[in-house]
Amino acid sequence: MSNQYVPAEPQTVLHPGEHLRDFLEAQELSQAEFADRAGISEKHVSQIIGGKAGISAETALILERVIGGGAELWINLDSSYRLSKARMQQEETNGRAVEWAKGFPLSDLRKRGYIQSKRVGPDTVAELLRFFGVADVGQWEHRYGGTAVQFRSSPSYEASQKAQATYVRVCEHRAEVWDLPSFDAGRLQSALGEIRNKLSADPAVLLQEAKKALSQGGVALVVEPDVTKARLSGAAIWPRRNKAVLALTMRFQTADHLWFSFFHEAAHLLKHRNRTVLETEDA
């Protein structure tokens, strides 16, 4: 019993009971004799070997003393097995959600580096869930399925809700709101007043000034191109309860149009606290 057990590197992740079985066979020990040495029931040994019971911290310490290899090794074997099994179950679940994934502007997301998969499959579903930061399709529906689409909505086309949710999430990623102070309506109104007094300036230069001014009021200004089928001009987004994003897609013909949308989104932030509002209009 002095040999330290070191499991062979498996091709697939095995239940730790498989390794325990290998040890008992190599040492020509019966389950009953091992149970007697370990001070645990033969039934429990049988359940571990049969894959019906895992390795607790207490059991890992027993195996360390009786078999060797270190308690951490047995805990890691058990954790690796359970994680591998959970991943397999998740892949099966993702496989059933492939149709859900097909409704997103995947080409846009590939171009912007948010997903890598070339063909739509379970991997695409996994990438989308990571992109949106949600556990599953149900949580996506809960978090992004109810986004309000209001104001200046054109009846001449039907926008895609999934595309619009994608735009919202891209802006959340771009905004880096954790660097912002908490939302302050007074500071935002003050910043808007400063910007109104400079509307004759170069729009590109003024947008940079506006970004800095709005950040002091807890608002991130994001200028991000629209995504396919979203058909948005802008959005007022609340990625956190006390942090906001004013997003513009730059689908504008004139500077007047740009600043109209800018102040329109700012008004939503002031009037609709913690409510995401999207602006749709004709291309």
Side-chain angles (χ1 to χ4, degrees):
M1 296 293 293
S2 61
N3 292 336
Q4 292 285 305
Y5 179 65
V6 179
E9 187 70 26
Q11 296 300 311
T12 58
V13 179
L14 302 176
H15 187 279
E18 296 281 352
H19 298 290
L20 179 56
R21 176 188 286 114
D22 290 344
F23 171 81
L24 296 183
E25 290 177 355
Q27 295 292 321
E28 298 182 349
L29 284 173
S30 67
Q31 292 185 26
E33 184 176 356
F34 172 78
D36 184 62
R37 288 177 176 276
I40 56 180
S41 70
E42 186 176 347
K43 178 181 178 181
H44 188 51
V45 173
S46 177
Q47 289 176 330
I48 294 174
I49 289 176
K52 296 180 180 179
I55 303 295
S56 67
E58 292 77 10
T59 301
L61 288 170
I62 290 171
L63 293 173
E64 179 182 68
R65 292 192 293 270
V66 177
I67 294 177
E72 292 82 1
L73 179 145
W74 291 100
I75 289 292
N76 289 338
L77 288 173
D78 187 74
S79 296
S80 295
Y81 171 78
R82 288 186 286 108
L83 180 59
S84 177
K85 187 175 181 180
R87 286 193 187 282
M88 291 176 63
Q89 293 173 341
Q90 185 63 63
E91 287 178 5
E92 292 178 4
T93 300
N94 290 347
R96 294 192 292 270
V98 170
E99 287 301 315
W100 168 81
K102 291 180 180 179
F104 289 92
L106 301 177
S107 179
D108 291 78
L109 288 172
R110 291 188 190 99
K111 290 177 182 177
R112 301 182 199 201
Y114 291 107
I115 66 173
Q116 304 298 323
S117 56
K118 302 299 182 183
R119 295 184 179 181
V120 184
D123 288 346
T124 311
V125 175
E127 287 184 304
L128 284 171
L129 294 176
R130 285 194 294 269
F131 166 70
F132 281 103
V134 294
D136 52 39
V137 175
Q139 289 307 117
W140 182 90
E141 293 289 351
H142 174 73
R143 179 67 180 83
Y144 291 94
T147 299
V149 181
Q150 302 180 355
F151 310 99
R152 290 197 288 153
S153 178
S154 171
S156 63
Y157 63 87
E158 182 178 354
S160 163
Q161 183 188 47
K162 288 181 178 178
Q164 292 177 339
T166 298
Y167 182 77
V168 168
R169 185 57 175 165
V170 167
C171 291
E172 288 178 345
H173 280 291
R174 286 281 316 281
E176 299 181 349
V177 294
W178 50 85
D179 289 333
L180 292 176
S182 296
F183 179 76
D184 187 315
R187 288 189 175 184
L188 174 58
Q189 289 176 324
S190 177
L192 295 175
E194 294 177 9
I195 296 165
R196 284 193 181 93
N197 293 331
K198 300 179 180 180
L199 292 181
S200 60
D202 181 334
V205 174
L206 188 52
L207 278 175
Q208 289 301 314
E209 293 184 17
K211 182 175 182 178
K212 182 178 180 180
L214 264 60
S215 68
Q216 297 175 0
V219 179
L221 175 60
V222 173
V223 179
E224 179 69 21
D226 200 10
V227 300
T228 305
K229 296 184 179 180
R231 309 300 290 274
L232 297 173
S233 61
I237 306 167
W238 293 88
R240 301 289 187 274
R241 293 188 63 83
N242 62 343
K243 306 290 180 69
V245 176
L246 191 161
L248 299 173
T249 63
M250 298 302 291
R251 297 174 68 238
F252 311 118
Q253 300 297 320
T254 65
D256 287 344
H257 192 178
L258 162 66
W259 294 115
F260 176 83
S261 292
F262 173 88
F263 287 109
H264 202 75
E265 303 308 330
H268 290 320
L269 294 176
L270 291 168
K271 295 179 181 179
H272 305 290
R273 183 80 179 260
N274 298 318
R275 182 181 180 184
T276 292
V277 179
L278 310 183
E279 298 285 350
T280 66
E281 65 176 8
D282 287 326

